[in-house]
Amino acid sequence: VPMPSSALARALALGLGVRLLLVAYSDVHDALFELRFTDVDYGVFLDGAAAVHTGQSPFALAPTYRYTPLLAWLLTPSIWLHRSFGKVLFVLADVMCGVLLHWVVTLAHAATTASSARASPEHHAVWAMSLWLFNPVPVMVSTRGNAESVLLLCVLGALFALLRRRVTLAAGLLAAAAHVKLYPLIYLPSALLFLRPRQGGSETTTFNSSSTNDRNHSSSRSGVVRLRTLGADCVTGLLNCVRHSDQMKFLLVFSAILSMSWLLVYQMYGWEGLDAALLYHISRQDPQHNFSAYFLPMRLLLDHPGALTAVLLKALSFVAFVPQAVGVVWAAVSFNRDLPFCWLLQTFLFVSLNKVCTSQYFLWYLVFVPACYQHFEKMSHSTLQFVVVAWFSAQGLWLTTAYMYEFLHWPVLSLVWACSLVFLAVNLRIAHTLVTHYDCKLQ
């Protein structure tokens, strides 16, 4: 791990200082204004922490608490020390995400075939860290009391450990992330494929299948042949895991830690804890308007309960799951040698195609952007502008119509759904742009 430079130290100090000032401001703001600065979820966290502090179940005293009880235990100092303890903890985790991004980019720079002559590795790493530390989205999320930074810290820690081939540590951190929220399970295929044994200093399976030249050649092949090849590569790669010690170690440690964490929850709180913290999120059906293209069909079905509705809801869930699974597996098979970009693409596709999609979920893939920006140095300014402007414009369009519906009470729910479809289309176009402009620099 590189020692801190002066630029690194200044960026860390400024990023931490801005966050701590906002935490202090949040107490003043909440006392003076009706519209609170603090996220409503933070109040739920504190209700859970107050319950466990008195020796009771967070799920009994806080009916809306649907998170791991370990988070409530972690935040108990917010009850007996200071109410903002949890916010400070989330801020520290957020800043540590920036540090991990610095380490990840430093490793990635060392693995490239040709480093940029215009900037040193340290310059790239500090720049990547700054993209996170001074991004207003994670700044506001952590200082308002949202726990996403703890989750992202575990994910980035697992990524860094995998790049260092610290298999046990990586498996433990990814299991911790999957305990907090289930979505990090999508990284299992790419992690296992990344841990294939190396021969002659390179992976047993080369990255040629996803290189620019091969993508150009493969464009003439039929879609059926490409899909068949993708499926065969995926099945072969995953089945080969049983033969390799690193892959087996990763899978066993991950499974053991994740299973034991949920057994601990069951031991402490019974089925009530498992249902609220785990099973609820597996079977969750959210008909409220959100960025997902599935919210309106789900809402219409739930408005007409019955046996047929139950069947149609299951069919809708399956229809939503299939493109997610295909996208995650395709990215894992195609880009597993470059884990930062692979995880960015997997998460971006997963969130965009999910049954529920809120702005909070955007952080799940935004955290990988600073670690991948060097792969798009050859992207033209016009293309980069398109990606940024299209993503923000699609969000702005949706938020405008959602404001009309939720606050002005205009009958524009169908228009909100249409904007969700536009947002999905824009995200898929952005994913295509990222893949086509991806510049693999790995040795």
Side-chain angles (χ1 to χ4, degrees):
V1 176
M3 295 298 292
S5 65
S6 58
L8 172 60
R10 287 195 300 269
L12 286 173
L14 184 57
L16 178 60
V18 168
R19 285 164 170 79
L20 291 178
L21 283 175
L22 284 173
V23 169
Y25 167 77
S26 67
D27 292 336
V28 178
H29 181 102
D30 292 346
L32 296 178
F33 298 98
E34 182 178 357
L35 183 61
R36 295 171 60 84
F37 182 91
T38 301
D39 195 309
V40 65
D41 285 345
Y42 190 68
V44 178
F45 296 156
L46 294 190
D47 290 341
V52 299
H53 181 63
T54 57
Q56 302 180 68
S57 168
F59 309 105
L61 290 187
T64 56
Y65 188 90
R66 300 189 182 277
Y67 312 93
T68 170
L70 301 182
L71 181 60
W73 283 99
L74 190 64
L75 296 185
T76 50
S78 299
I79 306 303
W80 55 264
L81 182 61
H82 193 280
R83 181 179 176 85
S84 294
F85 171 85
K87 292 182 182 180
V88 174
L89 183 66
F90 299 155
V91 160
L92 293 176
D94 196 31
V95 172
M96 277 304 302
C97 286
V99 174
L100 279 171
L101 284 168
H102 181 278
W103 296 349
V104 167
V105 172
T106 300
L107 280 180
H109 199 283
T112 57
T113 55
S115 301
S116 174
R118 294 174 297 171
S120 66
E122 179 65 13
H123 175 87
H124 276 292
V126 172
W127 177 250
M129 182 186 69
S130 300
L131 285 177
W132 179 259
L133 288 180
F134 304 113
N135 185 332
V137 177
V139 170
M140 293 302 294
V141 168
S142 62
T143 56
R144 295 184 67 225
N146 193 289
E148 294 300 310
S149 58
V150 176
L151 168 68
L152 297 178
L153 182 62
C154 293
V155 171
L156 283 177
L159 173 63
F160 179 69
L162 278 169
L163 294 177
R164 296 288 300 270
R165 297 190 81 84
R166 304 288 179 84
V167 178
T168 302
L169 178 61
L173 288 171
L174 192 61
H179 175 81
V180 177
K181 288 192 176 177
L182 288 174
Y183 88 88
L185 290 172
I186 67 176
Y187 305 132
L188 271 179
S190 54
L192 293 173
L193 291 171
F194 176 80
L195 289 173
R196 287 169 297 181
R198 305 181 179 188
Q199 295 179 353
S202 61
E203 300 293 339
T204 56
T205 302
T206 65
F207 194 62
N208 291 338
S209 61
S210 58
S211 67
T212 304
N213 291 337
D214 283 355
R215 281 199 305 269
N216 292 337
H217 288 304
S218 65
S219 61
S220 60
R221 301 168 62 194
S222 69
V224 175
V225 174
R226 288 200 301 271
L227 185 60
R228 186 186 306 152
T229 303
L230 170 62
D233 289 346
C234 177
V235 172
T236 302
L238 294 179
L239 288 180
N240 282 339
C241 290
V242 298
R243 305 184 329 193
H244 306 312
S245 59
D246 278 353
Q247 293 169 315
M248 279 303 298
K249 182 193 296 185
F250 183 90
L251 195 57
L252 289 175
V253 172
F254 174 87
S255 302
I257 293 179
L258 185 59
S259 300
M260 286 190 294
S261 68
W262 287 116
L263 284 174
L264 177 62
V265 172
Y266 176 75
Q267 180 68 26
M268 296 173 65
Y269 302 109
W271 281 109
E272 180 186 39
L274 282 182
D275 180 64
L278 175 62
L279 302 179
Y280 165 80
H281 298 282
I282 295 176
S283 59
R284 178 184 178 186
Q285 296 172 341
D286 192 347
Q288 300 302 317
H289 56 287
N290 59 82
F291 285 96
S292 173
Y294 299 102
F295 89 83
L296 186 57
M298 190 174 297
R299 181 172 186 146
L300 295 175
L301 288 174
L302 291 174
D303 285 344
H304 300 84
L308 179 60
T309 297
V311 174
L312 293 176
L313 282 172
K314 290 182 179 178
L316 182 62
S317 297
F318 179 77
V319 169
F321 171 76
V322 170
Q324 276 186 308
V326 170
V328 166
V329 171
W330 167 75
V333 172
S334 301
F335 299 99
N336 61 81
R337 281 193 64 207
D338 185 0
L339 275 188
F341 179 74
C342 182
W343 285 17
L344 166 64
L345 188 59
Q346 284 184 299
T347 315
F348 188 70
L349 292 173
F350 177 84
V351 171
S352 300
L353 297 167
N354 201 32
K355 289 189 300 182
V356 180
C357 180
T358 68
S359 56
Q360 175 182 316
Y361 295 2
F362 300 161
L363 277 178
W364 298 354
Y365 55 78
L366 286 177
V367 73
F368 298 116
V369 172
C372 299
Y373 81 95
Q374 73 273 13
H375 290 301
F376 305 102
E377 292 178 336
K378 295 182 180 179
M379 183 183 292
S380 66
H381 289 296
S382 59
T383 303
L384 180 60
Q385 289 172 359
F386 161 77
V387 169
V388 175
V389 172
W391 191 69
F392 279 106
S393 298
Q395 283 187 69
L397 184 64
W398 187 93
L399 290 170
T400 301
T401 55
Y403 176 83
M404 295 176 183
Y405 174 75
E406 186 172 352
F407 294 98
L408 301 182
H409 305 292
W410 292 3
V412 291
L413 186 61
S414 297
L415 186 58
V416 175
W417 180 61
C419 291
S420 294
L421 295 178
V422 170
F423 187 64
L424 174 61
V426 167
N427 281 349
L428 294 179
R429 181 67 178 87
I430 290 174
H432 178 266
T433 301
L434 294 180
V435 170
T436 55
H437 288 81
Y438 171 74
D439 179 21
C440 179
K441 300 181 178 182
L442 293 176
Q443 293 177 351

